[in-house]
Amino acid sequence: GTRPNRRRKSSACPCSVRLCFPPPPATMGKGGNSKSSAPATNATAASSRALGPGEVWREDEGKSFKVQKSYVSKSALASIAKRTDLPAKITMAEAAKHNKRDDLWVIVDGKCYDVTRYVEHHPGGWLPMVNLGGKDATDAFANYHPARVYKNMLPQYYIGDVVDYRETEFQKGHRAIRQRLLAEGMFETRMSYYYKLTAWFAALLAGAVYCTLACTSFAAHMAGAVLLGAFWQQMAGVGHDIGHNGVTHVWKTDNTIGLLVGNFLTGIGMGWWKRSHNVHHVVCNSIENDPDIQHMPIFAVSPEIFGRFFSSYHQHWVETDAAARFLVSYQHWLFYPIMAFARFNLYAQAWLLLLSDEYVHNKKWEMVASAGFIAWLSSLVAYIPVGPWGNWERVLYLLVSHNVAGLLHVQICLSHFAMETYHGVPYKGEEDEWFRMQLATTLNIDW
């Protein structure tokens, strides 16, 4: 196939920089919500991180473990012997042919897996799997799956090794970074970080409720709206970590917390967020496939989006009609006003998914939790001791709180709107493999 038609934002593309991986320093400090063990300053500590033949570091429930790089399933080997549709040798080109929802192979660590019968049961949705269908999913898989999946689930879908699979020097360097971080325990959660955040969130919510219900002045009520909006905006970071199973690292626990943090307290459906966000990561800034840049007929992040294309996420055609041409010509004026009200669209998207036939893990509980959000927010607004403005004060309260929370949407757009876009799906070769694609399409914003 042809390579994606990339739109370069600048001549100095970050993905063109050759990685130079330095030797490990004597120490590596703690940062953010991660924790690490004592630095390797003696032979014993260094030896404990040494890997044996065929071993790699992987994470499971927030802890780093030395494990086998791959496992063999006897049932899979027996199944291979019975199948008549498999080629004598599996090549990258052969694997690439199997990229449909009803015929799906993926490559992980040079081994090929026929995951067709698992697609509809994938907790992250079928779209990320199809977008990686027939391609090297090694690094995407490592980012989102614990060690147990490599051992207990993946082997049963094995159909053979890819004979012409190879790692580039660029990939080797980045994979070595991940191995080093795992070895030093840098993926292990420092829970005190989240305890402090919880106290901060509780203070924001308590302040919002106090100003809203215990005070009678208009100014106090608007202050309560600001605090409520700040609460929603600040909670998004934890919601993101929970959605990536990155707090307790226990899937069931993080999913349960997600119902509280996402659906009930902020109104953002975790099922919708995971479905959308997983696709976004896998095909970041793809015009046809990434829902996070598909905002026609109002916004266009690239001239390449004009015309007509099929959105694989929304499952419909997107066309640049007269209305789109008119609105996009004023997008520089519309951007901030729309961001101020964008949260209402997220509520709608969450409910549209829950009411659809698409598979959503814990769909019934998500509906209950989302209905709970509507109930408590409606009650809060209904019991505001309004003054002369009457119900208009309540309407203004809702608008102000959502306008403040709209800062989150500006932050999210900044992370990707200024970066490269491309047509189709990446992972067609060395120039658009996982690490290069992420570097080319994502901008870190330090607030």
Side-chain angles (χ1 to χ4, degrees):
T2 58
R3 303 202 189 285
N5 178 18
R6 289 178 177 261
R7 173 175 61 94
R8 297 289 181 181
K9 292 285 188 176
S10 69
S11 58
C13 173
C15 67
S16 64
V17 179
R18 182 179 177 83
L19 176 70
C20 180
F21 184 54
T27 62
M28 180 177 283
K30 297 179 181 180
N33 65 339
S34 64
K35 63 181 180 180
S36 65
S37 55
T41 56
N42 54 60
T44 303
S47 176
S48 68
R49 295 206 303 267
L51 294 169
E55 287 187 330
V56 293
W57 287 99
R58 298 206 194 278
E59 173 270 331
D60 204 304
E61 295 195 352
K63 303 294 183 183
S64 296
F65 297 96
K66 294 179 188 178
V67 297
Q68 289 179 224
K69 188 174 184 177
S70 59
Y71 297 86
V72 176
S73 165
K74 292 181 179 179
S75 62
L77 295 177
S79 176
I80 292 171
K82 296 177 182 178
R83 290 183 62 167
T84 59
D85 60 324
L86 296 178
K89 292 182 179 180
I90 299 176
T91 62
M92 295 292 291
E94 176 62 33
K97 299 175 184 177
H98 303 270
N99 60 354
K100 303 293 190 296
R101 190 173 180 176
D102 58 354
D103 178 21
L104 192 64
W105 295 5
V106 294
I107 299 165
V108 179
D109 291 320
K111 298 184 178 299
C112 194
Y113 301 89
D114 182 352
V115 292
T116 306
R117 55 194 169 97
Y118 184 67
V119 172
E120 305 301 332
H121 306 285
H122 184 229
W126 62 271
L127 278 165
M129 295 186 70
V130 171
N131 282 315
L132 285 166
K135 297 177 175 61
D136 182 8
T138 300
D139 301 298
F141 200 90
N143 271 271
Y144 304 119
H145 298 88
R148 74 185 67 183
V149 175
Y150 285 86
K151 182 179 181 180
N152 300 329
M153 294 186 67
L154 197 58
Q156 63 186 296
Y157 303 106
Y158 173 74
I159 57 173
D161 290 357
V162 181
V163 295
D164 56 348
Y165 179 83
R166 71 180 184 90
E167 284 183 294
T168 67
E169 292 301 314
F170 192 79
Q171 288 174 318
K172 288 178 182 177
H174 279 77
R175 290 171 183 176
I177 291 175
R178 179 178 177 84
Q179 286 295 295
R180 172 178 150 192
L181 294 175
L182 283 165
E184 297 196 7
M186 295 301 288
F187 286 92
E188 296 180 19
T189 300
R190 185 170 60 184
M191 291 306 296
S192 60
Y193 172 82
Y194 288 104
Y195 298 150
K196 293 174 184 176
L197 275 182
T198 300
W200 166 239
F201 299 151
L204 286 173
L205 184 58
V209 173
Y210 177 80
C211 291
T212 303
L213 300 181
C215 300
T216 57
S217 72
F218 176 83
H221 295 160
M222 293 305 104
V226 170
L227 288 172
L228 182 59
F231 168 73
W232 286 333
Q233 185 269 342
Q234 291 284 288
M235 284 281 283
V238 172
H240 178 276
D241 293 351
I242 283 288
H244 278 301
N245 194 31
V247 177
T248 70
H249 296 269
V250 179
W251 190 73
K252 289 184 178 179
T253 303
D254 278 351
N255 270 278
T256 302
I257 297 173
L259 292 173
L260 173 66
V261 170
N263 299 68
F264 182 73
L265 288 176
T266 67
I268 307 301
M270 289 305 295
W272 166 81
W273 184 88
K274 287 184 178 184
R275 184 176 189 267
S276 171
H277 198 68
N278 288 341
V279 173
H280 161 70
H281 274 304
V282 168
V283 282
C284 190
N285 275 21
S286 166
I287 288 173
E288 292 85 1
N289 302 298
D290 184 359
D292 282 14
I293 64 166
Q294 294 177 350
H295 302 298
M296 292 290 275
I298 300 173
F299 300 139
V301 300
S302 163
E304 296 289 329
I305 211 165
F306 296 137
R308 187 171 187 261
F309 67 88
F310 186 79
S311 167
S312 63
Y313 181 85
H314 295 291
Q315 292 291 296
H316 65 68
W317 288 95
V318 177
E319 297 188 47
T320 308
D321 55 18
R325 285 192 292 271
F326 174 79
L327 290 169
V328 168
S329 66
Y330 293 100
Q331 65 178 355
H332 54 299
W333 294 106
L334 294 172
F335 179 73
Y336 287 107
I338 288 176
M339 291 300 103
F341 298 98
R343 192 174 190 88
F344 291 105
N345 178 57
L346 302 192
Y347 302 153
Q349 293 297 322
W351 275 104
L352 286 172
L353 178 62
L354 290 174
L355 295 173
S356 74
D357 294 330
E358 288 284 348
Y359 169 77
V360 178
H361 181 71
N362 280 337
K363 180 180 277 193
K364 291 183 179 178
W365 282 111
E366 284 218 20
M367 286 183 172
V368 170
S370 295
F373 169 77
I374 296 173
W376 76 255
L377 180 59
S378 300
S379 298
L380 180 69
V381 174
Y383 281 95
I384 297 175
V386 296
W389 285 40
N391 285 331
W392 285 110
E393 186 173 338
R394 294 188 173 97
V395 173
L396 190 59
Y397 181 94
L398 277 175
L399 295 179
V400 170
S401 60
H402 284 74
N403 289 175
V404 172
L407 173 62
L408 169 67
H409 306 289
V410 176
Q411 291 172 294
I412 294 170
C413 290
L414 285 175
S415 298
H416 300 285
F417 276 23
M419 304 305 286
E420 291 186 33
T421 60
Y422 56 91
H423 287 289
V425 179
Y427 320 113
K428 293 184 174 68
E430 183 176 351
E431 74 168 23
D432 61 356
E433 52 76 45
W434 171 263
F435 296 109
R436 292 182 188 274
M437 186 270 287
Q438 298 295 335
L439 286 170
T441 59
T442 304
L443 175 68
N444 284 339
I445 306 295
D446 187 353
W447 292 86

